[in-house]
């Protein structure tokens, strides 16, 4: 049967390889990662070793030269094994796209080669304490500093996934003298470069995606060389909305779809295998539970079909592409919340008491909802786009 994302032979092989890693490595550590809220070191190392850091790096720089189609298929498989690992990977590839498309960043080819070789993990540091989920409006500012041939900035980044492990962050601040936070710039920072000027919170103890190491990070007079600008001064919104947003949306939609598939699979297995000894029947003989499972499957495949269509839009962009990008993230996040809720109800106490992986999937699925752009932002953006209003 053809893959719902329309994969060719090469991308099918990558998707199968990701599925193999997910079952052989990610799934084995997922419960421990969740219980201890620890970074999934084994799983992230396995991704690096298998060349997945460079999935979307051009082949000429040592990468696999893939686009959003392979990215979605790979992330979906990873999320079936461990959503924390999938999220770390989505942040990495979204940041890598900002690096790869940068018109200003010096030395980006060497950096992309390092990424392709599995030696460099990146992430996004967009959310700030001052503007919270409204990532398009940083309150931190760049101040000109001739001594570092560039700028300095002080910032309170409220959540940075892989904060301690990442080799670089794609970050954002207002340009010097900006009239509004929308006049922003994106820049690359290497968090290990100036240990005295960076502080991180001790740990991340989230409801879900507990392996993410999403820490708050404070920068004090952090030097930003001109050579490290990912966008031109004042052009940060372009990087965030035209590069990071579509890749992050495809990645997180795929992650949500992977969680839906994991929930459907775990529920179907539980209903098929679990018996009532006193009647000789099983859970699958109850029409209410079968109907829940059917609804879960329909929502999952609807979300996957919309993502498949959106990927086609990204490959052949048109005026409607941004709307599909927003809608696919919205549809997948809502599907994941609803599908995992149905899974908890269908599996009953077995899910509630952690005999099954369903409660972890249920908690992990809730993180996407609050990650920016949140479901509220997405609903507002889609409504604005449909009524001809500007997004900001
Ligand atoms: C597991 C996890 C990992 C994360 N990793 C990263 C990361 O690596 N990098 C990064 O930059 N960020 C990251 N984030 C942060 C994330 O993107 C959001 O910025 C954060 O979750 C917002 O939380 P808050 O309490 O500040 O939200 P608030 O902004 O306080 O929002 C509270 C509520 O108000 C709603 N709201 C806010 N503004 C609007 C609006 N304009 N219209 C309608 N409703 C609105 C929101 O939808 C939400 O329901 C991560 C978050 C999580 C949960």
């Amino acid at each position: 049967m053809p893959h719902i994302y329309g994969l060719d032979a090469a991308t099918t092989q990558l998707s199968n390889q990701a599925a193999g890693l997910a079952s052989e490595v990610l799934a084995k550590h997922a419960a421990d990662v969740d219980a201890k809220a620890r970074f999934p070191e084994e799983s992230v190392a396995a991704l690096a070793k298998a060349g997945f850091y460079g999935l979307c790096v051009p082949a000429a720089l040592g990468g696999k030269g893939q686009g959003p189609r392979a990215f979605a298929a790979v992330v979906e498989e990873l999320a079936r094994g461990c959503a924390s690992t999938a999220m770390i990977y989505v942040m990495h590839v979204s940041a890598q796209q900002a690096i790869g498309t940068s018109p200003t960043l010096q030395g980006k080819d060497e950096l992309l080669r390092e990424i392709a070789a599995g030696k460099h993990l990146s992430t996004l540091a967009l959310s700030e304490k001052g503007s919270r989920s409204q990532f398009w409006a940083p309150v931190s500012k760049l101040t000109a500093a001739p001594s570092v041939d560039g700028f300095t900035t002080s910032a309170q980044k409220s959540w940075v996934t892989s904060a301690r492990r990442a080799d670089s962050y794609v970050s954002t601040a207002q340009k010097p003298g900006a009239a509004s936070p929308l006049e922003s710039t994106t820049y690359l920072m290497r968090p290990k470069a100036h240990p005295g000027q960076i502080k991180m919170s001790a740990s991340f103890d989230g409801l879900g995606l507990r392996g993410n190491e999403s820490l708050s990070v404070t920068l004090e007079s952090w030097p930003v060389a001109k050579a490290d600008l990912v966008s031109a001064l004042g052009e940060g919104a372009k990087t965030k909305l035209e590069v990071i947003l579509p890749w992050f949306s495809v990645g997180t939609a795929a992650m949500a779809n992977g969680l839906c598939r994991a929930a459907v699979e775990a529920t179907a297995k539980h209903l098929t295998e679990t018996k009532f000894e006193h009647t000789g029947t099983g859970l699958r003989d109850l029409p209410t539970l079968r109907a829940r499972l059917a609804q879960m499957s329909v929502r999952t495949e609807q979300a996957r079909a919309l993502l498949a269509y959106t990927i086609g839009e990204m490959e052949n962009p048109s005026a409607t592409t941004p709307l599909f990008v927003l809608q696919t993230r919205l549809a997948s996040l809502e599907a994941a919340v609803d599908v995992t809720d149905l899974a908890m109800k269908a599996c009953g106490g077995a899910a509630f008491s952690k005999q099954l992986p369903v409660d972890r999937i249920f908690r992990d699925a809730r993180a996407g909802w609050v990650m920016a752009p949140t479901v509220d932002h997405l609903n507002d953006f889609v409504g604005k786009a449909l009524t001809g209003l500007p997004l900001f």
Side-chain angles (χ1 to χ4, degrees):
M1 199 172 66
H3 194 285
I4 196 164
Y5 297 146
L7 306 184
D8 61 16
T11 43
T12 300
Q13 206 183 349
L14 287 166
S15 172
N16 290 343
Q17 195 187 353
L21 276 185
S23 65
E24 285 156 30
V25 184
L26 278 63
K28 289 206 173 121
H29 298 285
D32 187 57
V33 162
D34 177 61
K36 296 184 180 146
R38 70 166 178 87
F39 192 78
E41 287 175 48
E42 309 85 345
S43 305
V44 175
L47 290 181
K49 192 171 169 212
F52 281 107
Y53 278 17
L55 180 73
C56 303
V57 169
L61 298 172
K64 296 189 189 295
Q66 295 295 326
R69 199 170 289 276
F71 176 48
V74 165
V75 170
E76 185 177 289
E77 294 301 341
L78 299 181
R80 288 172 66 207
C82 171
S84 287
T85 306
M87 193 66 237
I88 288 162
Y89 186 65
V90 168
M91 290 295 183
H92 166 76
V93 174
S94 302
Q96 178 266 305
Q97 284 299 311
I99 292 166
T101 56
S102 168
T104 46
L105 184 67
Q106 303 294 301
K108 71 173 184 180
D109 283 1
E110 293 95 282
L111 182 49
L112 291 171
R113 279 198 186 90
E114 269 182 58
I115 289 174
K119 293 180 181 156
H120 187 109
L121 180 70
S122 196
T123 192
L124 300 173
L126 304 182
S127 305
E128 296 195 347
K129 190 172 171 227
S131 48
R132 306 186 68 82
S133 59
Q134 300 183 6
F135 67 95
W136 55 88
V139 296
S140 64
K141 297 178 178 170
L142 293 183
T143 306
S147 60
V148 295
D149 192 22
F151 315 89
T152 58
T153 188
S154 294
Q156 286 188 288
K157 298 289 172 182
S158 44
W159 306 71
V160 182
T161 289
S162 315
R164 268 198 203 92
R165 318 294 168 129
D167 301 287
S168 66
Y169 303 170
V170 170
S171 187
T172 185
Q174 292 179 28
K175 74 170 189 179
S180 110
L182 295 182
E183 292 182 12
S184 68
T185 297
T186 43
Y187 61 92
L188 191 81
M189 54 167 281
R190 293 171 189 262
K192 294 162 194 162
H194 308 285
Q197 286 156 264
I198 188 166
K199 286 196 195 107
M200 296 183 193
S201 56
S203 59
F204 174 62
D205 187 13
L207 175 75
L209 295 187
R210 287 169 53 77
N212 263 32
E213 199 177 70
S214 296
L215 307 182
S216 64
V217 172
T218 304
L219 306 177
E220 295 282 355
S221 302
W222 187 268
V224 179
K226 279 185 196 148
D228 290 333
L229 293 185
V230 172
S231 74
L233 290 177
E235 298 290 320
K238 213 169 149 60
T239 315
K240 283 180 270 185
L241 300 180
E242 294 179 16
V243 181
I244 294 174
L245 180 60
W247 282 83
F248 179 78
S249 295
V250 164
T252 48
M255 192 186 103
N257 295 351
L259 283 166
C260 284
R261 282 182 63 200
V264 171
E265 287 154 9
T267 304
K269 184 168 187 294
H270 185 65
L271 299 195
T272 306
E273 292 176 354
T274 309
K275 308 283 177 220
F276 295 107
E277 284 179 24
H278 64 298
T279 58
T281 61
L283 288 180
R284 70 179 173 188
D285 295 312
L286 295 172
T288 44
L289 303 192
R290 292 198 303 266
R292 280 190 186 122
L293 182 59
Q295 283 305 307
M296 290 166 63
S297 180
V298 170
R299 287 293 299 279
T300 301
E301 300 310 330
Q302 283 175 335
R304 295 177 84 207
L306 182 58
L307 177 55
Y309 184 81
T310 301
I311 292 165
E313 283 272 330
M314 282 175 72
E315 288 170 344
N316 295 294
S318 71
T320 55
T321 307
L323 185 58
F324 276 102
V325 164
L326 297 171
Q327 290 182 146
T328 203
R329 174 166 153 80
L330 181 52
S332 291
L333 296 183
E334 294 201 311
V337 166
D338 294 347
V339 166
T340 56
D341 184 62
L342 284 166
M344 288 295 291
K345 290 170 182 158
C347 296
F352 198 81
S353 62
K354 301 195 177 188
Q355 292 166 32
L356 301 172
V358 173
D359 88 287
R360 169 166 51 80
I361 298 168
F362 171 85
R363 288 182 286 101
D364 287 344
R366 268 133 192 89
W369 210 101
V370 301
M371 292 178 83
T374 67
V375 164
D376 289 330
H377 298 152
L378 292 164
N379 274 313
D380 193 38
F381 291 162
V382 170
K384 280 177 169 165
L386 291 172
T387 56
L389 289 171
L391 293 197
F392 303 108

